[in-house]
Amino acid sequence: MPPVFRFAPSPNGELHLGHAFSALYDYALCRRAGGRFLLRIEDIDRTRSRPEFEEGIYRDLEWLGVEWETPVRRQSDAMPTYGEAIDRLRVAGLVYPAFMTRGEIAATVAADPTWPRDPDGAPLYPATDRGLTRAATEDRIAAGTP
C-alpha cells in the first residue's frame, strides 16, 4: 500500500511562502516515495473561510506544479462523523467543555515559562475548565458562554 501524503490549507486567506514550501516539500516526498497526495480543505472556520480563497489555493498549487487526487477532501464533509465520535466520547465521560479565550490561554501560558508543550512546541491547553462542576458547566452553557 503506497504511503499517503496530504496538504491541508485553510481557505481564510491567500497562500504564503510557508504554505508553498510545505506543499512542495510534501509533494516531492510523496513522488519520491511513490505515494498518494491528498488535498484537504480545512473549511470548518465558517467565519473566515471564503470560496475565493479556496479557488486561490487550487490556482496557486497548480501554478506550483502540485497535483492531487480528486475529489478534494473537505473537513466540513466529515462533521457528521466527528459529531458521532464526540457523542461516544461524551457518553464515556471523556469530554469537557472548554471556556477559556485565546487571550486567557496566552496569559496563563506566558505566566509560566515551564508550561508543558506538545512535540511541535505548541502550549498544552490549561484545562482549568475540566475541574468545573457539572452545575457550573451547565450554567456557563445556559448563559451562552463561548
Side-chain angles (χ1 to χ4, degrees):
M1 176 173 270
V4 178
F5 295 78
R6 66 115 175 100
F7 179 62
S10 297
N12 56 19
E14 296 179 358
L15 292 184
H16 54 68
L17 289 176
H19 291 129
F21 176 80
S22 180
L24 287 169
Y25 185 78
D26 285 354
Y27 186 63
L29 288 174
C30 178
R31 290 186 60 136
R32 192 166 34 233
R36 299 171 51 211
F37 192 81
L38 307 179
L39 177 61
R40 184 181 73 214
I41 300 297
E42 295 287 327
D43 62 342
I44 58 175
D45 183 345
R46 297 174 199 258
T47 60
R48 298 187 315 152
S49 293
R50 301 275 187 271
E52 61 269 24
F53 292 137
E54 185 172 338
E55 290 303 317
I57 290 168
Y58 301 139
R59 279 192 312 275
D60 291 347
L61 292 177
E62 287 172 359
W63 183 83
L64 290 168
V66 174
E67 298 174 354
W68 57 90
E69 291 185 13
T70 57
V72 170
R73 295 163 187 258
R74 305 179 65 75
Q75 196 68 319
S76 60
D77 291 342
M79 294 307 279
T81 303
Y82 299 151
E84 293 167 7
I86 197 78
D87 288 343
R88 287 193 306 273
L89 292 169
R90 191 175 285 115
V91 166
L94 299 173
V95 175
Y96 63 92
F99 300 103
M100 292 182 80
T101 66
R102 289 180 183 187
E104 290 169 335
I105 294 167
T108 300
V109 170
D112 182 355
T114 64
W115 193 265
R117 297 179 178 274
D118 73 14
D120 293 330
L124 298 182
Y125 182 75
T128 56
D129 310 283
R130 188 180 301 180
L132 293 174
T133 65
R134 180 179 295 263
T137 298
E138 290 172 358
D139 287 346
R140 286 189 181 190
I141 292 170
T145 304

